[in-house]
Amino acid sequence: MRKKHDDYAKSPAKKGERSPGFLASRLPIRIDDLLHARVVEIERIEFKAGWNPDPILRTLCAFANDFENLGGGYLVIGQNCKDGQAVFPPVGVPHEQLDKIQRELLQYCHLIHPPYFPNFSIEEFQGKTLVVLWAPGGQTRPYKVPKSVTGKEKDYRHYIRRYANTVEAKNGELRELFSLAATVPFDDRICHRAELDDLQLPLIRSFLKDIKSGLYSPSGKLPLAELGRNLNIVEGSDEFLKPRNVGLMFFHDSPETFFPTTQIDVVLFPEGVAGNKLEEKIFRGPLHHQLRDALMYLRNMVVEEHVTKVAGRAEAERVFNYPYEAIEEALVNAVYHRSYEIREPIEVRVNPDRIEILSFPGPDPSISLKDLNAKRFVTRRYRNRRIGEFLKELEMTEGRGTGIPTMRQALRANGSPPPRFITDRNRTSFLVELLIHPAFPADRGRPEVPVEVPVEVPVELNDTERAILTLCKNAPQSKAEIVAGLGYGKMTGNVWKALQRLTEMKLIELTIPRKPNSKNQKRRITPKALRVLAGES
């Protein structure tokens, strides 16, 4: 955890004025997303209407202990709530209290043992001033703090989070907390073989732009060290500042330099494992880049649609050999939960009758073999707390415990068999099997019998539609990027109609179909559109 104590002691403001050192946001996510719990789970957020040191320091201690390796949490002062949900407009923090809060916070954080100091940010929302304390999981747990930091008697206790509550760790929980001493998750450890300059600023700024962070605008002018501290991807004193592993995994173009086999291997076996043919493609680079590229490859090369006309019905029945959403959830889970200390890549094997996604090691020991067989996945502790945090901010994964249910739902909606999960007693590996839809034969992955498929009518595109497809062909585009790429300053009627028509003709589709209004939503070109463009050339 960062230990620049002077962060709480910037030049004091005059009474009633805002402290000059906190004009820019220091949060990695937008304050609006935080207050509405769009990216961070609600159990990782605590709202306080005012500055009350005793419960606030107990909650900071609990976030620092990060009992379930979720990545700590956020404490918002000046935000009232009801039943754990923020109530708007917020009550806010009077400007004349800001300096008092900063001074007392510094004083009381010294009472946490070992010392722990959260990231401090002053935010504006709906005309009110809020104080946000971002408290990542600490590096030297277990932490303890007096039950009452304002009282004369300093009765030290250990605190943890249980759901959305701060509770004292007792008996078995306390023993388990002590067993976590010096066991910082690998993705949150310092990489002593790397230097600060190994973090690549263009990749950091691209990430901040993608998640629409308030840090994006100032990031072009901030020193790399300060930006790294704000994102909590560096650790150490100014003269010996080192990147954390997660920073190199996301913000270095070759993370395998530091973590060998940080890659996704996709192997196609068109004739089965015993056949003579195979096609292999390896995806490397920053974690979110290799994940997106591998998913796009599988979508274009593996996913097929089976269309059957049904007598007496206007609409044809459409199924896929493998629903893309199930593949996406399975591969994202592998990237999120694999160990980056084990020198084995994630392997995706595409057989004629199934897709197998293999990662190392197996599920967390908190998931019993009985639960695996009963298809219940409720893990007590996460292997990679920071990777999950970044993937959630990119909206590549949702809240904890949602991946397997989402995968099952996608397969069920497509009429596919349920997934299979295989591990051994020693949890050395984890295999996810997605079985092909019954409408596709196991020998070639094509429909068993001839079906009557509607003939594709030649598509006529106007200039605007053709230009949009050309833009999306290179990379998925947001609405704002499409408008700018067409040379407009704002959305126009003809652009809107073109987007609607292209969507209806299944020439473009949403990159986040489950969240149509997501701030990260983009449009991407479909295989059908590629055929249309190829036919025009």
Side-chain angles (χ1 to χ4, degrees):
M1 187 63 222
R2 179 171 67 171
K3 296 179 177 61
K4 288 191 69 176
H5 304 169
D6 59 349
D7 284 349
Y8 303 110
K10 299 286 184 179
S11 53
K14 295 179 181 179
K15 185 175 182 180
E17 294 182 351
R18 186 175 181 178
S19 297
F22 296 94
L23 294 178
S25 174
R26 292 189 169 194
L27 300 181
I29 62 175
R30 296 169 62 242
I31 183 64
D32 182 63
D33 288 339
L34 176 63
L35 297 180
H36 288 91
R38 295 194 186 105
V39 177
V40 180
E41 299 96 330
I42 194 64
E43 57 261 38
R44 293 180 56 211
I45 308 171
E46 181 135 334
F47 302 113
K48 297 293 184 184
W51 170 243
N52 188 347
D54 290 332
I56 287 175
L57 266 291
R58 291 195 292 265
T59 294
L60 288 179
C61 179
F63 283 145
N65 279 323
D66 197 16
F67 190 60
E68 296 183 358
N69 283 347
L70 297 177
Y74 295 80
L75 205 153
V76 186
I77 304 170
Q79 176 63 64
N80 43 327
C81 67
K82 182 178 181 181
D83 298 327
Q85 304 290 327
V87 175
F88 303 109
V91 295
V93 176
H95 285 192
E96 59 269 17
Q97 290 189 14
L98 294 177
D99 285 332
K100 175 179 182 290
I101 292 174
Q102 293 169 50
R103 288 193 303 270
E104 292 188 359
L105 180 64
L106 174 61
Q107 173 189 345
Y108 295 135
C109 281
H110 277 288
L111 296 178
I112 300 176
H113 288 173
Y116 176 92
F117 301 89
N119 294 273
F120 187 103
S121 184
I122 293 180
E123 304 288 329
E124 298 291 336
F125 186 75
Q126 294 186 354
K128 298 292 185 178
T129 299
L130 304 176
V131 171
V132 181
L133 305 179
W134 175 29
Q139 297 282 311
T140 53
R141 61 185 173 187
Y143 294 89
K144 61 182 179 179
V145 72
K147 186 176 181 180
S148 173
V149 293
T150 58
K152 292 183 179 180
E153 298 293 329
K154 304 305 181 189
D155 181 15
Y156 275 86
R157 307 288 179 92
H158 295 84
Y159 294 93
I160 60 174
R161 293 289 283 184
R162 277 293 183 212
Y163 305 108
N165 302 301
T166 294
V167 299
E168 183 183 348
K170 297 180 179 180
N171 302 324
E173 291 175 337
L174 187 59
R175 289 192 295 272
E176 190 172 353
L177 178 61
F178 272 87
S179 74
L180 297 176
T183 57
V184 175
F186 182 75
D187 62 338
D188 208 16
R189 296 178 195 169
I190 300 170
C191 184
H192 292 284
R193 296 184 294 115
E195 301 297 336
L196 178 64
D197 290 342
D198 287 317
L199 297 173
Q200 296 170 354
L201 183 59
L203 290 174
I204 297 176
R205 298 200 72 229
S206 175
F207 170 82
L208 293 173
K209 183 179 180 181
D210 283 348
I211 67 172
K212 295 179 171 56
S213 170
L215 280 172
Y216 172 68
S217 295
S219 65
K221 299 178 181 179
L222 287 177
L224 183 58
E226 184 175 350
L227 182 59
R229 290 189 189 279
N230 286 341
L231 286 171
N232 197 32
I233 57 174
V234 297
E235 177 70 19
S237 58
D238 289 342
E239 68 275 10
F240 194 71
L241 198 60
K242 293 286 186 177
R244 295 180 191 262
N245 289 339
V246 70
L248 297 166
M249 291 175 182
F250 280 86
F251 308 126
H252 190 281
D253 56 13
S254 300
E256 68 274 9
T257 303
F258 305 98
F259 320 110
T261 69
T262 298
Q263 63 194 53
I264 301 172
D265 295 354
V266 179
V267 188
L268 308 183
F269 296 98
E271 299 175 352
V273 178
N276 296 320
K277 295 181 180 179
L278 68 85
E279 179 180 339
E280 183 177 22
K281 191 168 181 63
I282 298 175
F283 297 90
R284 298 187 177 94
L287 286 191
H288 52 313
H289 291 188
Q290 62 176 257
L291 179 56
R292 284 171 174 164
D293 292 345
L295 286 170
M296 182 63 71
Y297 177 80
L298 291 168
R299 180 176 168 275
N300 291 336
M301 299 297 294
V302 176
V303 176
E304 298 178 4
E305 187 178 22
H306 178 171
V307 184
T308 307
K309 283 192 67 177
V310 181
R313 286 175 51 182
E315 293 185 359
E317 287 187 352
R318 298 174 180 270
V319 296
F320 295 89
N321 55 350
Y322 307 99
Y324 173 76
E325 293 81 2
I327 298 174
E328 181 182 34
E329 289 295 339
L331 191 53
V332 168
N333 275 348
V335 171
Y336 184 175
H337 298 297
R338 67 158 284 186
S339 169
Y340 291 87
E341 294 180 271
I342 298 176
R343 297 193 174 190
E344 293 286 350
I346 294 171
E347 185 174 343
V348 182
R349 298 193 292 252
V350 182
N351 295 289
D353 62 342
R354 70 194 62 204
I355 295 176
E356 300 172 325
I357 299 177
L358 179 66
S359 59
F360 300 86
D364 187 87
S366 62
I367 303 175
S368 69
L369 292 174
K370 181 180 178 181
D371 287 342
L372 279 175
N373 295 329
K375 303 175 184 178
R376 296 191 301 268
F377 285 76
V378 182
T379 183
R380 279 281 311 281
R381 190 158 291 113
Y382 283 72
R383 185 173 287 125
N384 298 305
R385 64 187 182 192
R386 299 300 306 284
I387 289 174
E389 185 179 302
F390 281 117
L391 291 178
K392 287 170 191 171
E393 289 169 3
L394 290 163
E395 297 192 5
M396 300 182 79
T397 186
E398 297 184 14
R400 57 175 179 159
T402 61
I404 301 300
T406 301
M407 189 191 313
R408 291 185 182 280
Q409 173 58 32
L411 291 165
R412 186 164 49 247
N414 189 59
S416 299
R420 295 176 180 173
F421 306 101
I422 302 169
T423 188
D424 57 9
R425 188 169 296 276
N426 294 325
R427 310 299 176 91
T428 58
S429 64
F430 188 49
L431 180 68
V432 179
E433 285 187 344
L434 305 178
L435 303 180
I436 198 167
H437 190 281
F440 294 78
D443 55 347
R444 297 183 60 189
R446 291 289 189 267
E448 290 180 336
V449 296
V451 294
E452 186 180 352
V453 180
V455 178
E456 283 192 0
V457 178
V459 176
E460 294 185 3
L461 301 174
N462 61 36
D463 292 341
T464 301
E465 293 164 347
R466 193 174 295 105
I468 291 174
L469 290 183
T470 302
L471 286 171
C472 295
K473 183 178 179 181
N474 298 323
Q477 304 285 312
S478 67
K479 283 195 293 187
E481 290 170 335
I482 291 172
V483 169
L486 296 175
Y488 295 102
K490 60 180 181 179
M491 178 65 73
T492 64
N494 66 315
V495 175
W496 179 255
K497 291 178 181 177
L499 289 173
Q500 290 291 100
R501 185 165 181 264
L502 291 172
T503 302
E504 291 170 359
M505 292 191 295
K506 299 187 183 301
L507 298 181
I508 60 174
E509 62 185 9
L510 301 179
T511 56
I512 312 175
R514 289 172 295 177
K515 296 184 178 180
N517 298 320
S518 168
K519 68 181 187 300
N520 293 328
Q521 189 64 261
K522 294 188 177 184
R523 269 74 176 170
R524 62 187 170 204
I525 197 169
T526 66
K528 179 181 178 182
L530 291 174
R531 295 194 296 271
V532 170
L533 292 178
E536 289 189 343
S537 59

